[in-house]
């Protein structure tokens, strides 16, 4: 599978998918302690880990993304329960350093788009649900809206914003599955997994009968999303990453600076025009403060 240049892919995909962003993926109430993120989570076809995602399954499971965690680098491990036993409670002990948890947000909405970025209508989704063959052409994509806990993890999210701006941070899907078949990629040939073909588990990503082997995830559901610098799906780009609080702070700072400049100008050149401008800026500052508590 040819490795794609991510930076050029990002620019290309942004133009395609941004037409869908903001149409359905708006939080019901925007909160200033959250940073909102929109991203392409997973695509149909074969990714660079040679996991194959059928179109049929994508349109069936895209709602399972909702309420799932967003973490950093898939670093999650529970070695013991967070809830201590009676003996530990008695001595006020806490389960420190037992688990690894980098969850910094959650997915709050998801949609399916075609490869041009148009949202798939319900009738098209129903048609795709009836597809029996594995299709490599005309991929579809799950696009998600997430909320990151900005007030709890400000340093981590500030670092992520810088990396996203530099096209150095992407998204990787997390899935749960227990049933899979095999795909000979170049031949687009499906091989059912059974006792006689299980040896192909050791051939994933390798060549077999003149074609590379991928694993078709038949029953997967979405388990979450992880920030990564090396996504297996080159289409898994971050479309937008913004904070209501950050936008508020930026606007307020700009208006306050303008307010001070108008004061200085008025001191040396009092005029009606400056008064009108001062009144407008003062009004905007009051509106921003009232809107953001």
């Amino acid at each position: 599978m040819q490795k794609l240049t991510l930076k050029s892919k990002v620019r290309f995909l942004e133009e395609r998918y941004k037409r869908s962003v903001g149409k359905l993926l708006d939080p019901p109430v925007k909160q200033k302690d959250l940073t909102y993120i929109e991203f392409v989570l997973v695509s149909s076809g074969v990714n660079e880990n040679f996991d194959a995602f059928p179109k049929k399954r994508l349109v069936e499971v895209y709602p399972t993304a909702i309420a799932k965690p967003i973490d950093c680098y898939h670093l999650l491990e529970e070695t013991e329960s967070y809830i201590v036993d009676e003996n530990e409670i008695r001595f006020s002990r806490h389960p420190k350093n037992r688990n690894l948890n980098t969850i910094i947000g959650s997915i709050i909405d998801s949609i399916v788009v075609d490869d041009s970025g148009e949202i798939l209508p319900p009738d098209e989704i129903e048609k795709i649900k009836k597809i029996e063959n594995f299709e490599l052409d005309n991929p579809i994509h799950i696009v998600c809206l997430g909320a990151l806990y900005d007030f709890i993890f400000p340093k981590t999210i500030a670092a992520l914003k810088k990396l996203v701006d530099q096209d150095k941070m992407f998204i990787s899907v997390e899935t749960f599955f227990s049933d899979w078949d095999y795909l000979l990629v170049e031949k687009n040939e499906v091989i059912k997994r059974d006792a006689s073909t299980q040896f192909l588990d050791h051939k994933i990503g390798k060549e077999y009968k003149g074609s590379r082997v991928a694993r078709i995830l038949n029953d997967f559901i979405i388990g979450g999303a992880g920030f990564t610098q090396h996504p297996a799906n080159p289409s898994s780009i971050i479309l937008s990453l913004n904070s209501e609080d950050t936008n508020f702070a930026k606007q307020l700072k700009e208006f306050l600076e303008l307010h001070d400049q108008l004061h200085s100008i008025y001191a040396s050149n009092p005029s009606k025009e400056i008064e009108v401008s001062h009144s407008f800026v003062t009004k905007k500052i009051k509106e921003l403060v009232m809107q953001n508590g």
Side-chain angles (χ1 to χ4, degrees):
M1 193 178 303
Q2 185 178 3
K3 185 81 174 176
L4 297 174
T5 304
L6 279 174
K7 191 154 187 174
S8 61
K9 184 79 172 178
V10 167
R11 296 290 169 241
F12 177 62
L13 290 172
E14 279 179 345
E15 293 304 313
R16 298 172 103 180
Y17 299 147
K18 279 193 173 177
R19 70 187 70 184
S20 62
V21 170
K23 287 182 181 178
L24 293 182
L25 294 179
D26 267 336
V29 178
K30 292 188 178 181
Q31 303 174 61
K32 63 182 182 180
D33 61 328
L34 299 175
T35 284
Y36 295 97
I37 178 171
E38 292 162 300
F39 53 88
V40 180
L41 178 63
V42 62
S43 307
S44 65
V46 182
N47 69 17
E48 292 180 354
N49 286 338
F50 289 90
D51 285 325
F53 296 88
K55 287 184 182 180
K56 173 185 172 69
R57 191 62 188 159
L58 249 65
V59 297
E60 291 172 341
V61 306
Y62 77 92
T64 68
I66 297 171
K68 301 301 171 65
I70 301 173
D71 62 66
C72 294
Y73 304 115
H74 306 304
L75 296 177
L76 298 170
E77 181 182 3
E78 182 192 48
T79 56
E80 294 186 57
S81 170
Y82 283 112
I83 309 302
V84 295
D85 61 32
E86 287 187 13
N87 185 57
E88 289 176 310
I89 291 172
R90 188 176 305 144
F91 293 100
S92 298
R93 293 174 182 165
H94 301 287
K96 294 180 181 178
N97 302 321
R98 295 181 181 177
N99 303 300
L100 182 63
N101 186 343
T102 67
I103 294 171
I104 58 170
S106 61
I107 300 171
I108 59 177
D109 202 357
S110 66
I111 55 174
V112 185
V113 302
D114 62 22
D115 204 37
S116 65
E118 295 292 341
I119 299 168
L120 291 182
D123 60 334
E124 185 64 25
I125 285 177
E126 291 305 313
K127 286 181 184 177
I128 293 173
K129 285 181 180 179
K130 297 176 183 177
I131 294 175
E132 295 298 330
N133 300 325
F134 189 91
E135 294 186 355
L136 288 169
D137 296 332
N138 303 313
I140 60 175
H141 315 268
I142 295 177
V143 175
C144 294
L145 173 67
L148 305 180
Y149 310 139
D150 207 340
F151 275 26
I152 305 173
F153 305 108
K155 294 176 183 177
T156 299
I157 292 169
L160 285 170
K161 287 175 181 176
K162 288 182 181 179
L163 290 169
V164 170
D165 286 343
Q166 297 168 9
D167 298 329
K168 292 180 179 178
M169 188 59 73
F170 305 90
I171 287 289
S172 177
V173 68
E174 295 170 353
T175 60
F176 302 131
F177 64 94
S178 59
D179 178 47
W180 62 95
D181 291 319
Y182 309 103
L183 177 73
L184 301 183
V185 178
E186 284 76 14
K187 297 179 180 180
N188 196 21
E189 178 185 332
V190 175
I191 299 176
K192 287 292 182 182
R193 184 176 187 266
D194 56 31
S196 66
T197 61
Q198 285 183 12
F199 70 92
L200 289 175
D201 284 348
H202 303 289
K203 292 281 189 179
I204 303 299
K206 299 176 183 177
E207 192 169 298
Y208 175 70
K209 291 187 176 180
S211 185
R212 283 166 295 180
V213 180
R215 175 175 57 180
I216 302 175
L217 310 186
N218 292 326
D219 65 338
F220 81 92
I221 63 170
I222 294 165
F227 283 101
T228 178
Q229 291 177 296
H230 305 288
N233 176 30
S235 296
S236 288
I237 64 169
I238 295 167
L239 298 166
S240 68
L241 180 60
N242 64 81
S243 165
E244 288 301 299
D245 186 55
T246 300
N247 292 338
F248 158 67
K250 182 180 178 182
Q251 291 177 53
L252 184 59
K253 181 181 177 183
E254 289 173 352
F255 279 119
L256 286 172
E257 288 175 350
L258 184 55
H259 184 271
D260 291 344
Q261 290 170 7
L262 289 170
H263 266 292
S264 299
I265 295 169
Y266 190 80
S268 59
N269 182 29
S271 69
K272 186 68 175 176
E273 184 179 354
I274 300 298
E275 287 182 9
V276 171
S277 297
H278 180 269
S279 297
F280 171 78
V281 171
T282 302
K283 181 181 177 182
K284 291 300 292 184
I285 290 171
K286 287 180 179 178
E287 287 177 355
L288 281 170
V289 173
M290 290 293 290
Q291 288 171 5
N292 292 273

